[in-house]
Amino acid sequence: MTRAAVLVHKKALLVEALGDLLPQELLTQWKRTFTLPWEAWLRGPLRARMDASFADPAPLLAAYLRPGGVRSVWRDFLAGKTTWSRPWSLYVLNEWCRRHLAA
């Protein structure tokens, strides 16, 4: 199987849906990934929402958290000491608990 045939095979859904509309050179390029700009989002448009969430943990979750621990993770992220995934995970957990475990 040629390199082009392998690439087209790996992009089968794309080729099936849009193959006749796409330039041939696109079909023969290696697949690429993309990274969402989580860090920029958390430092920018989502920052106020994250601050508010971490300042007020969901009541049923707060019982299991060390006081100030969540805010410490947020501060570490803002200081560049940890990756975006740590505060984002805590934010999602906190918001899920707030919405689904409300007393």
Side-chain angles (χ1 to χ4, degrees):
M1 190 178 270
T2 68
R3 178 178 184 267
V6 169
L7 291 173
V8 169
H9 175 72
K10 288 185 176 187
K11 297 179 182 181
L13 291 175
L14 177 66
V15 172
E16 184 179 329
L18 302 170
D20 56 338
L21 302 173
L22 298 172
Q24 185 62 32
E25 60 269 13
L26 180 69
L27 299 177
T28 57
Q29 291 177 356
W30 288 108
K31 287 173 65 172
R32 294 184 241 173
T33 62
F34 63 93
T35 302
L36 296 173
W38 288 103
E39 185 164 350
W41 288 344
L42 296 185
R43 292 180 187 281
L46 294 176
R47 184 171 179 164
R49 183 177 287 186
M50 302 287 285
D51 284 332
S53 180
F54 294 152
D56 183 28
L60 292 175
L61 179 61
Y64 297 97
L65 299 175
R66 193 170 35 91
V70 171
R71 287 188 304 275
S72 174
V73 170
W74 181 234
R75 281 192 307 270
D76 285 350
F77 166 74
L78 293 173
K81 296 178 183 177
T82 192
T83 67
W84 63 267
S85 63
R86 293 187 73 210
W88 180 250
S89 298
L90 290 169
Y91 171 79
V92 170
L93 176 63
N94 190 43
E95 293 304 307
W96 186 91
C97 289
R98 187 182 317 285
R99 290 185 180 119
H100 299 285
L101 301 179

